[in-house]
């Protein structure tokens, strides 16, 4: 698909439901003591993996992803292996969920997921008493679940998937599980659990969990900030744009990207309405002519992990140098996102320097255009599609199907914006 530059943008959009929250509401409502009602789940490939696995394991669902009733059931061993597709969240959270279930379960994934590190969850879950076997600490995982004991665990890497996997196991373990050293990664699991009245206590970087009876959920999932971030980037980099995005989740552990953009002088405005279990709000982003390059503050990295690639594009347009370091987790996402960004930035005529744990880029460069290789990574496809709209000559994307992982309507929203632009 070729994405060509557009002249003027005035748009109000909504983005699909949050991916992380959808995975968690599906899993946690399956563990509740009664039926839950969930509205507006993300209907995309990744979240469907979690849904399908739970269904195979015996959980009952009524309705569809706009309104879903979840009826918890006792989980029983099943013979067939469980497919996680491209979804790291499904793989790591389901491992924590299955660790306490009697029986043998097999989880496997697609080519990308089969390359991603699983030692991070195998180690603590085995310490708790599960028996997880793997191929070189990668998928497939063979999980022999059963009775678990609590552990005290210091997180070796900042990962919400790791934290959530241990929490899910901790909810079924004997004794009190303690997780230390979380660097402020997304806290949707903790928020939902508090909302469900779980035995969970959070103090600074210490989380304590005990066996819990979970109250059912009745909750509407807000829009995904990570999906919004592509259109925020479009608005600030385009020479004549204003985009308003409504009903987005603005949990403080997710909006590091907004904080970084404020430091870069972007024209953005946002309003946060506190509500339980998740804050919601609106964002208005506009053409930003005074962007300045910065060194990305290390402490904001976990809160902007999925948005970090976009900073390469923004850095290319800002005044001065933008430097991202200490972000080596990007190398083990759906693709090696440092390599995917560097190669594709070069493909569209931009100079950028690769670092082992990030990149360095001088500003005031032209985005000429060219051909992109997405490596089947949804966020790379969406990032460079946005780049096409602000390029000089347009950008050709090799494969667009990956957007179905998190944002199936992405090109519909983008084409609407482009069509409106032609009318003005
Ligand atoms: C996610 C956590 C992040 C993020 C991913 C979704 C989650 O991964 O990159 O897209 O839902 O917990 P890590 O926790 O591995 O950093």
């Amino acid at each position: 698909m070729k994405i060509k530059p557009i002249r003027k943008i005035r748009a109000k959009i909504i983005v699909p439901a949050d991916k992380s929250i959808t995975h968690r509401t599906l899993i946690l409502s399956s563990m509740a003591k009664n039926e839950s009602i969930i509205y507006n789940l993300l209907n995309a490939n990744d979240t469907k993996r979690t849904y399908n696995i739970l269904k195979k394991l015996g959980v009952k669902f009524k309705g569809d992803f706009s309104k879903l009733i979840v009826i918890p059931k006792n989980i029983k061993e099943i013979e067939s292996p469980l497919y996680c597709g491209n979804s790291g969240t499904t793989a790591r959270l389901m491992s924590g969920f299955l660790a306490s279930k009697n029986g043998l379960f097999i989880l496997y994934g697609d080519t990308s997921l089969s390359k991603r590190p699983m030692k991070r969850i195998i180690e603590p879950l085995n310490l708790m008493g599960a028996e997880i076997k793997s191929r070189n600490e990668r998928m497939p995982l063979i999980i022999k679940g059963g009775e678990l004991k609590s552990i005290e665990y210091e997180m070796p890497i900042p990962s919400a998937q790791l934290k959530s996997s241990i929490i899910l196991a901790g909810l079924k373990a004997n004794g009190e599980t303690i997780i230390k050293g979380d660097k402020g990664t997304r806290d949707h699991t903790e928020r939902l659990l508090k909302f469900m009245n779980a035995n969970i206590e959070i103090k600074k970087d210490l989380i304590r969990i005990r066996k819990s009876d979970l109250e059912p959920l009745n909750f509407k999932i807000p829009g995904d900030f990570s999906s919004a971030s592509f259109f925020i980037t479009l608005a600030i980099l385009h020479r004549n744009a204003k985009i308003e995005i409504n009903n987005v989740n603005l949990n403080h552990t997710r909006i590091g990207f907004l904080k970084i953009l404020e430091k870069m002088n972007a024209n953005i405005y946002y309003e946060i309405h506190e509500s339980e279990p998740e804050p919601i709000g609106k964002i208005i982003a506009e053409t930003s002519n005074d962007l300045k390059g910065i060194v990305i503050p290390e402490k904001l990295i976990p809160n902007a992990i999925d948005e970090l690639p976009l900073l390469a594009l923004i850095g290319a347009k800002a005044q001065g140098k933008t430097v991202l370091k200490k972000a080596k987790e990007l190398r083990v996402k759906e693709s090696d996102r440092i390599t995917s960004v560097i190669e594709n930035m070069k493909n569209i005529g931009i100079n950028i320097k690769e670092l082992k744990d990030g990149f360095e880029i001088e500003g005031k460069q032209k985005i000429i255009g060219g051909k992109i290789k997405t490596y089947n990574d949804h966020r790379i496809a969406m990032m460079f599609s946005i780049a096409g709209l602000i390029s000089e000559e347009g950008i050709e994307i090799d494969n667009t199907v990956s957007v179905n992982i998190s944002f199936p309507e992405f090109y519909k929203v983008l084409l609407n914006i482009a069509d409106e632009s032609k009318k003005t």
Side-chain angles (χ1 to χ4, degrees), residues 19-20 24 89 92 120 158-162 186 305-306 329 333-334 379:
K19 176 158 84 70
S20 294
R24 286 158 172 82
T89 309
R92 297 188 177 120
R120 54 188 64 189
S159 162
Q161 293 176 352
L162 163 62
R186 64 191 68 190
I305 190 73
D306 291 338
E329 273 294 299
K333 294 292 177 190
E334 287 84 328
R379 298 201 196 281

Side-chain angles (χ1 to χ4, degrees), residues 41-263:
L41 294 108
L42 172 67
N43 194 352
N45 285 359
D46 263 20
T47 46
K48 278 192 269 190
R49 303 295 176 205
T50 295
Y51 170 85
N52 286 336
I53 291 178
L54 290 167
K55 205 167 160 185
K56 274 194 162 182
L57 290 168
V59 178
K60 292 273 174 273
F61 296 101
K62 277 192 209 154
D64 58 28
F65 276 38
S66 62
K67 180 182 175 187
L68 192 69
I69 298 173
V70 185
I71 308 156
K73 296 279 173 199
N74 279 335
I75 303 298
K76 298 222 173 64
E77 186 180 65
I78 58 155
E79 278 165 16
S80 54
L82 303 164
Y83 187 51
C84 303
N86 191 247
S87 174
T89 309
T90 306
R92 297 188 177 120
L93 269 59
M94 282 316 298
S95 300
F97 174 80
L98 289 170
S100 66
K101 310 287 178 251
N102 285 320
L104 194 87
F105 304 91
I106 300 171
L107 294 176
Y108 71 111
D110 70 4
T111 328
S112 148
L113 186 57
S114 304
K115 289 188 192 134
R116 297 178 66 186
M118 293 295 152
K119 182 176 177 202
R120 54 188 64 189
I121 52 127
I122 296 173
E123 194 174 82
L125 295 175
N126 279 350
L127 282 174
M128 294 178 89
E131 285 174 42
I132 305 184
K133 298 241 174 347
S134 66
R135 182 184 292 131
N136 297 328
E137 291 159 341
R138 305 243 177 318
M139 296 194 95
L141 301 177
I142 301 172
I143 303 174
K144 187 161 186 301
E147 188 152 330
L148 298 181
K149 55 179 185 286
S150 58
I151 51 166
E152 203 174 307
Y153 200 71
E154 174 89 31
M155 296 215 331
I157 39 161
S159 162
Q161 293 176 352
L162 163 62
K163 175 175 67 173
S164 301
S165 186
I166 305 174
I167 293 176
L168 290 173
L171 283 170
K172 297 287 176 190
N174 296 317
E176 184 175 71
T177 296
I178 301 178
I179 303 170
K180 290 180 179 166
D182 177 32
K183 298 251 181 342
T185 61
R186 64 191 68 190
D187 66 354
H188 306 300
T189 309
E190 298 92 303
R191 280 172 178 268
L192 283 167
L193 280 172
K194 277 192 184 161
F195 194 59
M196 298 172 89
N197 233 343
N199 274 321
I200 182 163
E201 210 186 292
I202 297 133
K203 274 200 194 120
K204 279 193 177 163
D205 66 344
L206 205 84
I207 303 170
R208 297 169 185 275
I209 316 111
R210 286 182 167 276
K211 274 192 178 156
S212 305
D213 261 348
L214 301 182
E215 294 293 335
L217 282 170
N218 186 328
F219 167 50
K220 180 175 176 215
I221 303 179
D224 195 321
F225 178 77
S226 297
S227 297
S229 67
F230 299 102
F231 292 96
I232 298 172
T233 304
L234 172 62
I236 65 175
L237 294 185
H238 192 275
R239 68 166 76 89
N240 184 356
K242 182 173 181 179
I243 299 182
E244 180 175 326
I245 310 164
N246 282 294
N247 196 31
V248 192
N249 175 234
L250 292 177
N251 175 322
H252 74 280
T253 61
R254 290 293 295 281
I255 55 171
F257 183 61
L258 288 181
K259 305 267 164 64
I260 293 167
L261 292 183
E262 282 177 329
K263 289 184 193 298

